[in-house]
Each structure stands twice: as structure tokens, then as C-alpha cells.
Amino acid sequence: MKSKKGVVIKSVGGVFTVADENDVNYVCFSPKKFRYNQSDVIVGDAVTFEEIKRGKGVICDVLPRKNKLSRPEIANVDVCFIVLACEPEPDFYLADKVLINCFQQKIEPVIVVNKSDLSSNLLQIARQNYESVTDVICVSAFDETVKFLRDYLNDGKVACFAGQSAVGKTSLLNALIPDFGGKVGNLSDKTGRGTHTTRQITLRKLSEGYLADTCGFSLCDLTDIDSSDLRLYLDDFVTLSSACKFSSCTHTVEPDCAVRNAYNNGTIFKERYERYVEEYNELVERESLRYR
């Protein structure tokens, strides 16, 4: 039986929806071998599969991935929209970690300040933090500014949204895909944080590419990054580091550090550098625990 190629667009309890090259969907199952090795099937995977009967199939192989995000868990992503909003209170520490994971995985990050219809100075703060390393755009799901997101979705790209719950990821999807019909949550009266409405990751067709509806989250780990390499995923730090006294400068305690000098004279946004030091120390502590 001739195998087909497709993309995993949904995964629920070990059952996968795979869209073939003609955008026909199949309900597929994976062999047990995938469940016990490195080939676990996740949304975004390019796969080969065989149709066993009308509309149903079995996955034969997972094709090599160009990248993988662990949270949200999705493969072969081209663009990651990191969504911030004035409500709930933005978590820049979380945004930093997602941004670094994107650079490590060679994914184009875009900082998206959502809910632009609400009065806030968040756009200015986001630009101070991130404009030197990536695009920062301001949108609202309730006006024409949402079209700015479409500029990043061409040539069959796969894009995902990342960010806290209730920052408006699903509202943006509803605006971009009129028949999406995603459930929108509100802030919790008790905690002031978002409530989870998205329970699993789903890829949705948009023009020639896909958009992923991803679960909101409040934690993100820097996986597979050594403390000594963290500096390499911040382009503006890399540019400045040529003037550091030591080529292996971590930009934390070394003398004659160009990055610290930029921090002291205000060239680098103060809060962003201080979060970098926190992230570096967090990695150092994690590494020290490996040998205890």
C-alpha cells in the first residue's frame, strides 16, 4: 500500500488528525514503537501514513524535525507570536525564556502586544525590552490591526501563539479565522490570572500555512541550554560582546564587560539585563545540582 505524506494538526489521547498534501484530513493511530522512543508524535510533525480504510490510517514514520518547542509542545514552527497584554499583568521573565527558546530552535519570534484597545503603556515597555532583538507589534482582535499578524504568514509557514492564559491568543485566532469559534476565557476574580480555555494544541489552516491554537501557560524552562551559552541567544549582547575583555565573557561579573557597561549607561534596558542575570544564575544553579 502506497504511503502518503501529511502534517499532524491535532493530537488527543494518542489519536492524531493528519492533513495530507491535498488538505484532506485523516484520523490516524501510531504504532507502539513511537510511544517508547524518541519518535513520539506531536502536533506539527511531518509524517508518512497509510490509509487503512476510508478516512482512517496508521502513521508509518515521523520525518526529521527542524525544531521543537517543549512548551507549548509543537514541531516544525516557523514563527512564534509571543503575546503580551496589560491584563493579566505581563510576565516578561516568561517572555524572555520563550524568546530564547525561539532563538535556540531557529524560530522567528515576534512580540505581540495585544488588547491595544485598552489604555496602556505596555507597547512602550515592550519596545524598550525587545525592539533591539525582534519585531514588536501592537494589535487588537477587535479592529483592523489584527491584519499585521498576516504579514508573517506566507509561503506555507507554521505559526504558533505563546503566552499566559487570557492574553487573548484565542481571540486573535477567532479574528484571523472567522469560523474558528474558539472559547474565550476571562481573568479569575480570585487570582487576577487567566483561566485555561484551550486544552490541546490544534493547527488551523490559514491561507497557505497553519496557525496553532496553544494552551496558555505560566512556566517555561530553558531546556538544553548551558549557562555559558545563554549569552549567544541575545543578538544585541552578541554584537556588544566583541568589545568585552574576555571572549568567553558571561556578562555577569567579569571586568571590562561591554554588555555591563551598556547596562550601566542605559544602552541596554535595565530590567531586561537584570532578568538575563537571573536566568543565567538559574542555569548555573541547575547545572551544579547535576553533580550532587
Side-chain angles (χ1 to χ4, degrees):
M1 186 179 296
K2 186 178 179 180
S3 63
K4 300 183 178 185
K5 290 184 178 180
V7 176
V8 178
I9 62 172
K10 189 174 181 179
S11 170
V12 180
V15 179
F16 306 93
T17 303
V18 178
D20 72 4
E21 293 174 306
N22 296 314
D23 294 328
V24 177
N25 291 349
Y26 293 82
V27 176
C28 293
F29 304 87
S30 65
K32 288 184 179 179
K33 66 178 183 179
F34 290 135
R35 302 171 196 170
Y36 301 107
N37 56 34
Q38 297 292 326
S39 299
D40 288 345
V41 183
I42 63 174
V43 171
D45 273 332
V47 299
T48 59
F49 68 98
E50 290 182 353
E51 185 178 6
I52 53 177
K53 58 181 178 179
R54 180 180 290 271
K56 294 187 177 181
V58 60
I59 293 173
C60 305
D61 197 14
V62 177
L63 302 180
R65 295 167 179 156
K66 61 184 177 184
N67 56 49
K68 176 188 174 184
L69 287 175
S70 58
R71 193 158 186 175
E73 189 174 47
I74 185 173
N76 300 319
V77 176
D78 298 296
V79 180
C80 180
F81 296 122
I82 305 171
V83 185
L84 303 172
C86 55
E87 295 177 358
E89 183 178 353
D91 185 344
F92 291 106
Y93 192 54
L94 169 64
D96 287 351
K97 289 186 174 183
V98 177
L99 189 72
I100 290 167
N101 274 317
C102 286
F103 286 135
Q104 184 200 28
Q105 297 288 335
K106 295 181 173 55
I107 297 169
E108 180 185 5
V110 180
I111 301 294
V112 177
V113 177
N114 192 24
K115 305 182 183 180
S116 61
D117 49 306
L118 301 179
S119 177
S120 170
N121 63 346
L122 179 57
L123 178 61
Q124 178 184 355
I125 297 171
R127 284 175 172 165
Q128 289 174 320
N129 273 276
Y130 302 115
E131 200 165 43
S132 61
V133 292
T134 193
D135 290 349
V136 179
I137 63 175
C138 187
V139 304
S140 171
F142 305 107
D143 60 37
E144 71 280 359
T145 58
V146 74
K147 68 183 180 183
F148 296 144
L149 298 176
R150 292 183 180 271
D151 295 338
Y152 297 90
L153 300 170
N154 50 41
D155 301 324
K157 289 181 178 178
V158 174
C160 74
F161 288 88
Q164 300 157 269
S165 297
V167 291
K169 300 187 299 298
T170 303
S171 294
L172 292 173
L173 275 162
N174 285 336
L176 289 166
I177 307 174
D179 62 349
F180 177 63
K183 182 181 178 182
V184 177
N186 298 310
L187 295 180
S188 165
D189 292 335
K190 183 180 292 186
T191 66
R193 298 178 181 176
T195 56
H196 294 276
T197 57
T198 305
R199 300 300 178 183
Q200 69 272 326
I201 300 171
T202 305
L203 289 184
R204 304 282 180 170
K205 191 70 176 176
L206 180 66
S207 300
E208 297 303 316
Y210 289 96
L211 271 174
D213 184 23
T214 56
C215 308
F217 58 91
S218 57
L219 296 172
C220 179
D221 291 326
L222 295 176
T223 57
D224 302 323
I225 297 178
D226 292 333
S227 58
S228 58
D229 292 336
L230 181 63
R231 60 195 169 89
L232 302 177
Y233 299 109
L234 301 168
D235 286 355
D236 50 345
F237 285 23
V238 172
T239 301
L240 291 166
S241 65
S242 61
C244 291
K245 181 176 181 179
F246 303 103
S247 60
S248 60
C249 185
T250 65
H251 316 313
T252 55
V253 296
E254 296 87 349
D256 299 325
C257 170
V259 173
R260 291 174 64 200
N261 289 341
Y263 161 71
N264 289 327
N265 65 30
T267 305
I268 290 177
F269 191 55
K270 177 181 177 181
E271 293 178 6
R272 180 163 163 267
Y273 172 79
E274 290 172 350
R275 292 195 305 271
Y276 162 79
V277 174
E278 279 189 59
E279 291 154 6
Y280 173 82
N281 290 333
E282 180 182 302
L283 290 175
V284 169
E285 182 178 359
R286 188 176 72 188
E287 290 161 1
S288 69
L289 295 175
R290 294 177 188 170
Y291 306 103
R292 291 185 181 179

